[in-house]
Amino acid sequence: MSTDKILFDRVRKVFPGRRGAGGAVTALDDLTLGVRPGEFLVVVGPSGCGKSTLLDLLGGLATPSDGQVLVDGRPVTGPGLDRGIVFQQYALLPWRTAAGNVAFGLEAKGLPRRERAERVAHHLELVGLTGFADRYPHELSGGMKQRVAIARSLAYDPDVLLMDEPFAALDAQTRDSLQDELVRIWQATGKTVVFITHGIDEAVYLGRRVAVMTSRPGRIKQVIDIELGDRQAEEDVRSTDAFRHHRHQIWTLLRDEVRAAQSAVREEARVG
Amino acid sequence: MVDVAARPAATRPAVSPVAAAPARSGRLLALGGRALHRSVALLALAAIWETVPRTGLVDRVFLPPLSEVLVAWWELLRSGQLAEHVGASLTRSLTGLALAVVTAIPLGLLIGWYRPLADLLSPLLEVFRNTAALALLPVFVLILGLGETSKIALVLYACSWPILLNTIAGVKGVDPLLVRSARSMGLDHLRLFQKVILPASVPTIFTGVRLAGAYSILVLVAAEMVGAKAGLGYLVNYAQYNFAIPDMYAGIITISAIGLVVNQLLVAGERRFSTWRVDVTTA
């Protein structure tokens, strides 16, 4: 247990029902999941299974109704700069340039100005955006915005990087190239990454382990070790037998959950 | 490595020096054409104003031709009367507007930020907002007298609403994702406010200030028609009393011109503060 960087310990999260819309919703129930230091863990699950809730709890933006979330053995009590979140919709400040956005977390950390400038330049370079420092978000493409967001989260040097479907809004080619970039950055920095997605291919491609969630209430159904051999050596790792095997494995696990989720939605529609 | 999209827009073809001269005159022509197109309605109005009284379609005593009005305007300017009235009016409206800016913006920020305060005050705000400012003029005069105070207070009152409501809307309209993102970096309330809420709401606040600028002149002129010894509203009213009809129209034209200039200035300011908003409006 003590070897886990992050531990979800029998976590439950209940949202009180909206006024007039019936009872409370249990998003997560008795969820236990450990993340090892420096590992790239992908959480995959059907939509509405509470993946994002999981991340909110870890980020300290929400508190569990029961159980606890531990980082380095200490319970999470609130947000902190030891965990960086990358959101699907980038969440860049539109009135700040790329550099200004990357500097944002550093200001929160209270870094002196000169050191800030150095770190900003370094991290823009890390995500391949040198020369775009003075651009405003509306002047950048979706992929570039997400690079800025990643640079911003890395710049204040968190131990853990939490990513909430960060590439879901991007086109396929941009997504592929950003996935490669992310793996490279992960290897270069040695951060612990928790990556949330609903894409099976993305999960197999990025994850060294993949946690499959059940439909609502979310639990961990199974954690799968992804063994693809030497990924660098392979020309097209997505078309190898090992990749296909893992993809099918996860697809099978998810199929029942997706069905369950759909029938639950149908049930709700009939009742409501 | 960089995505293909969003290249710098430096691919505009360079104009060769030979083609430059005719191109420039062509562009000037186009510019002149556009200016003409945009002023044609105004010129038509001026022409109608000039000819209709002269042809006797309307009584030229009540509507003197534009040229006579302009002569009267020039006389007012030369005698220094116009400057005095404009000065009096502008002092009042700018003072009122400035006071509204410094009181309504902080109040709006507070109301927008603290939900309990918003719930407490919103019924009150609704009542006052829907009370026409000019309906309160007699009350202001009754309590504050006929002097400057009541007029400035009225401008302050009228200007406060657009600023206040826009500030509240600006704070409430901040993208919750930005707030979440900033919170995830552990920003405390004060810094969240300073670094996210405030800059995000500046464009909306400035829209309120621009509206208030228009109101400040609108209500002031009306206020000056009741018990004032100087000001453009007074000039218009007084001229009408004394049957100096060209002077009256000169005063009206001046009011329009000032309103136009103030609005243009504030629009320019608004644009300056919200360049980054293109993103929000197009996406």
Side-chain angles (χ1 to χ4, degrees):
Chain A
M1 278 260 222
S2 59
T3 57
D4 285 326
K5 177 76 187 170
I6 302 163
L7 179 64
F8 291 89
D9 185 16
R10 283 159 296 162
V11 170
R12 212 167 102 86
K13 179 67 181 174
V14 182
F15 291 105
R18 253 176 265 142
R19 257 173 293 170
V25 175
T26 308
L28 302 174
D29 194 17
D30 197 27
L31 183 142
T32 298
L33 174 66
V35 185
R36 297 167 196 152
E39 111 168 299
F40 199 128
L41 179 98
V42 176
V43 178
V44 61
S47 58
C49 73
K51 300 189 290 281
S52 294
T53 307
L54 195 74
L55 210 134
D56 277 3
L57 293 173
L58 184 49
L61 294 171
T63 49
S65 312
D66 207 356
Q68 54 182 352
V69 182
L70 302 170
V71 174
D72 290 324
R74 283 184 299 273
V76 170
T77 51
L81 290 169
D82 58 330
R83 287 147 289 149
I85 305 186
V86 177
F87 297 95
Q88 184 187 334
Q89 296 298 335
Y90 326 125
L92 299 180
L93 304 174
W95 56 90
R96 284 182 174 227
T97 60
N101 268 289
V102 177
F104 188 64
L106 300 176
E107 290 167 24
K109 203 171 181 173
L111 228 65
R113 189 178 290 266
R114 188 178 302 166
E115 206 174 323
R116 238 186 284 163
E118 271 167 32
R119 279 233 217 159
V120 167
H122 171 75
H123 284 91
L124 281 175
E125 194 194 335
L126 185 70
V127 297
L129 284 181
T130 313
F132 290 86
D134 296 330
R135 298 301 178 86
Y136 285 88
H138 70 259
E139 299 171 309
L140 301 172
S141 69
M144 291 162 96
K145 282 185 218 178
Q146 197 54 286
R147 285 163 193 271
V148 175
I150 292 171
R152 172 178 62 185
S153 290
L154 288 172
Y156 55 80
D157 199 26
D159 292 344
V160 182
L161 198 57
L162 312 174
M163 308 186 86
D164 190 2
E165 306 199 21
F167 305 149
L170 303 175
D171 64 84
Q173 272 165 325
T174 309
R175 191 186 311 141
D176 281 359
S177 74
L178 270 175
Q179 285 171 350
D180 289 338
E181 290 275 293
L182 181 62
V183 170
R184 182 180 61 75
I185 290 167
W186 168 64
Q187 284 166 341
T189 56
K191 306 280 180 211
T192 307
V193 179
V194 178
F195 188 105
I196 284 175
T197 181
H198 59 257
I200 299 176
D201 276 46
E202 188 168 62
V204 177
Y205 187 72
L206 290 175
R208 277 19 183 194
R209 284 199 306 153
V210 174
V212 181
M213 283 181 76
T214 64
S215 62
R216 219 166 58 196
R219 286 191 193 87
I220 299 298
K221 186 167 186 170
Q222 199 174 324
V223 181
I224 294 167
D225 289 301
I226 303 292
E227 277 142 20
L228 296 177
D230 184 5
R231 296 182 199 219
Q232 249 76 48
E234 209 66 56
E235 179 90 15
D236 180 9
V237 78
R238 288 180 177 88
S239 58
T240 58
D241 286 339
F243 194 95
R244 271 206 298 275
H245 162 72
H246 284 307
R247 179 167 54 195
H248 183 72
Q249 197 179 7
I250 294 170
W251 180 81
T252 314
L253 286 168
L254 274 176
R255 185 183 48 189
D256 305 335
E257 298 310 323
V258 172
R259 275 196 198 135
Q262 277 168 350
S263 72
V265 168
R266 243 176 273 132
E267 190 70 23
E268 246 167 53
R270 204 179 306 136
V271 174
Chain B
M1 208 188 75
V2 150
D3 304 327
V4 206
R7 275 271 169 68
T11 43
R12 213 179 296 134
V15 183
S16 71
V18 194
R24 192 177 306 143
S25 72
R27 207 178 311 144
L28 257 165
L29 211 69
L31 208 72
R34 203 162 56 216
L36 189 74
H37 183 74
R38 296 192 55 166
S39 50
V40 73
L42 277 177
L43 291 173
L45 175 71
I48 291 168
W49 191 347
E50 184 64 32
T51 52
V52 163
R54 284 188 186 281
T55 55
L57 273 170
V58 296
D59 194 335
R60 63 185 295 163
V61 173
F62 298 132
L63 182 67
L66 180 60
S67 53
E68 283 177 31
V69 172
L70 291 177
V71 168
W73 186 84
W74 180 246
E75 282 305 315
L76 283 171
L77 185 71
R78 266 198 355 183
S79 66
Q81 283 187 65
L82 195 65
E84 185 198 329
H85 292 304
V86 169
S89 287
L90 279 184
T91 309
R92 288 168 189 148
S93 60
L94 290 182
T95 310
L97 180 61
L99 286 174
V101 165
V102 298
T103 53
I105 291 179
L107 187 63
L109 293 174
L110 271 176
I111 295 175
W113 189 228
Y114 290 112
R115 219 210 151 86
L117 194 64
D119 292 343
L120 185 75
L121 289 182
S122 66
L124 199 65
L125 294 182
E126 279 304 307
V127 169
F128 276 109
R129 183 167 79 98
N130 290 302
T131 308
L134 288 174
L136 290 172
L137 179 57
V139 181
F140 279 83
V141 171
L142 201 63
I143 296 172
L144 299 169
L146 276 169
E148 296 299 294
T149 324
S150 65
K151 292 178 189 61
I152 292 173
L154 187 75
V155 173
L156 165 64
Y157 178 85
C159 290
S160 292
W161 298 109
I163 299 178
L164 188 66
L165 295 172
N166 271 281
T167 306
I168 296 172
V171 173
K172 284 195 171 164
V174 175
D175 185 352
L177 182 65
L178 294 183
V179 176
R180 254 164 68 89
S181 162
R183 279 218 303 135
S184 81
M185 289 179 224
L187 262 73
D188 56 42
H189 276 261
L190 193 68
R191 293 233 270 179
L192 182 66
F193 192 82
Q194 173 206 346
K195 297 213 177 236
V196 179
I197 308 287
L198 201 58
S201 40
V202 161
T204 322
I205 294 175
F206 210 87
T207 303
V209 174
R210 179 169 59 80
L211 291 172
Y215 283 17
S216 75
I217 291 167
L218 233 63
V219 296
L220 176 74
V221 168
E224 283 174 345
M225 290 185 168
V226 187
K229 289 188 278 308
L232 289 165
Y234 165 78
L235 171 68
V236 170
N237 214 32
Y238 179 82
Q240 193 244 14
Y241 248 61
N242 292 293
F243 232 71
I245 302 302
D247 284 4
M248 181 187 84
Y249 284 109
I252 293 173
I253 288 177
T254 312
I255 292 167
S256 311
I258 289 176
L260 220 61
V261 169
V262 167
N263 192 56
Q264 283 302 311
L265 285 177
L266 289 170
V267 165
E270 188 180 16
R271 206 168 292 150
R272 217 188 106 70
F273 278 114
S274 42
T275 40
W276 56 264
R277 265 227 286 210
V278 251
D279 189 35
V280 183
T281 44
T282 54

